[in-house]
Amino acid sequence: MKTIAFFNNKGGVGKTSLAYHLTWMFAERGLRVVAADLDPQANLTSMFLDEDRLETLWPDIGLRSTILGSIEPLFDGTGDVGTPRVERFYDNRICLFPGDLGMSKFEDDLSQSWPRCLEGHQRSFRVTTAFFRSVTIAASEHDADLALIDVGPNLGAINRAALLAADHVVIPIGPDLFSLQGLRNLDPTLRQWRLDRQHRLEAGKGISFPLPKGEMLPAGYVMMRHSIRLDRPVKA
Ligand SMILES: Nc1ncnc2c1ncn2[C@@H]1O[C@H](COP(=O)(O)OP(=O)(O)OP(=O)(O)O)[C@@H](O)[C@H]1O
Ligand SMILES: [Mg+2]
């Protein structure tokens, strides 16, 4: 099983579109695919489901059938990562792990847990690996060949934790000045996160549950089509 994340702190460069279409294309080739929506904006989830179904996933009160529903017991101190609630498509070859705007509330806990992993602190490892563990459970229950992860456009703690689940990181990019400038932040950050991950794995040698083995290896860039203005490419 391989896990690929689509990552760029620049917004609107095609992360979600790539994750969505590749999910279907891989499934058409006979692979069993998990599409994990780890972007709190949940755009990937909205591409798969109509509004009536979305409304049932995100009730105002009660259990949410999303990633939030799976990891909430860990964050609110009542348990650990639970059974993933997923949506299935295409003769059950595609399994969507739905996203949730409510995930944003874990950003602080994830930020605080990150340094504490270096002390070998058990709960901090549980929190930091929550996405990795829930995606792993979803993939194992789905008997998946591949998990594709969509994340939001930022360098925050949710994305850092999300990328821990990734063997490979694909960087969608727009052919414009802002995207090129953005790479100046993105590349060093990704390099730093990979180094930080290594330090935490060393500090977590005594941890009793499996830690992420994925190496967050950059797989390369995917350039989106240039914007057209007045029937010609924009100057950038
Ligand atoms: N390869 C492409 N060529 C041209 N336009 C594209 C391409 N991929 C996506 N788009 C368009 O660009 C817009 C942004 O795409 P998308 O939502 O996939 O980006 P994103 O990186 O996920 O955005 P965000 O950072 O907000 O999550 C959409 O209108 C989409 O239809
Ligand atoms: Mg997106």
Side-chain angles (χ1 to χ4, degrees):
M1 214 283 290
K2 285 256 180 269
T3 307
I4 304 171
F6 298 87
F7 176 56
N8 192 331
N9 59 319
K10 172 85 174 63
V13 290
K15 298 181 285 294
T16 305
S17 304
L18 265 178
Y20 179 76
H21 291 293
L22 286 174
T23 297
W24 286 93
M25 290 165 78
F26 282 123
E28 277 170 3
R29 290 181 169 219
L31 299 188
R32 299 182 59 79
V33 189
V34 169
D37 190 356
L38 299 187
D39 177 3
Q41 293 180 99
N43 291 334
L44 182 64
T45 306
S46 326
M47 287 176 92
F48 274 99
L49 300 170
D50 62 26
E51 290 200 358
D52 291 338
R53 184 68 193 128
L54 288 175
E55 214 173 350
T56 64
L57 289 186
W58 301 327
D60 290 335
I61 42 172
L63 189 67
R64 295 167 86 91
S65 300
T66 62
I67 287 185
L68 180 67
S70 303
I71 63 174
E72 205 160 30
L74 168 63
F75 284 87
D76 67 19
T78 57
D80 198 359
V81 167
T83 309
R85 287 155 208 284
V86 299
E87 301 282 313
R88 295 185 199 274
F89 305 86
Y90 199 38
D91 289 339
N92 288 336
R93 274 187 250 171
I94 293 176
C95 160
L96 168 71
F97 202 1
D100 198 309
L101 194 61
M103 285 196 306
S104 309
K105 67 182 176 188
F106 300 135
E107 192 98 47
D108 280 351
D109 205 346
L110 284 163
S111 295
Q112 285 159 17
S113 297
W114 186 245
R116 295 209 64 195
C117 287
L118 291 175
E119 303 158 16
H121 187 241
Q122 178 98 359
R123 181 179 180 275
S124 297
F125 273 103
R126 284 200 187 279
V127 169
T128 299
T129 59
F131 294 134
F132 157 72
R133 290 186 294 132
S134 49
V135 170
T136 304
I137 297 169
S140 148
E141 289 188 351
H142 185 59
D143 195 18
D145 301 297
L146 193 63
L148 303 183
I149 299 178
D150 185 31
V151 299
N154 61 72
L155 303 176
I158 289 181
N159 280 358
R160 188 172 53 196
L163 290 199
L164 284 180
D167 298 305
H168 302 285
V169 180
V170 171
I171 301 167
I173 181 172
D176 59 63
L177 193 58
F178 298 112
S179 289
L180 287 176
Q181 301 256 325
L183 286 181
R184 295 206 184 115
N185 302 321
L186 182 67
D187 286 350
T189 302
L190 197 50
R191 207 170 300 134
Q192 186 63 47
W193 284 359
R194 295 183 68 219
L195 205 60
D196 291 348
R197 165 193 165 277
Q198 198 54 45
H199 292 151
R200 276 147 190 82
L201 290 184
E202 282 157 23
K205 287 213 168 103
I207 296 293
S208 56
F209 49 90
L211 296 178
K213 291 203 175 66
E215 292 190 29
M216 296 158 61
L217 275 173
Y221 304 98
V222 176
M223 184 85 83
M224 80 189 293
R225 198 192 301 171
H226 54 71
S227 310
I228 302 285
R229 299 279 183 274
L230 299 173
D231 297 328
R232 58 176 170 74
V234 292
K235 195 175 167 210

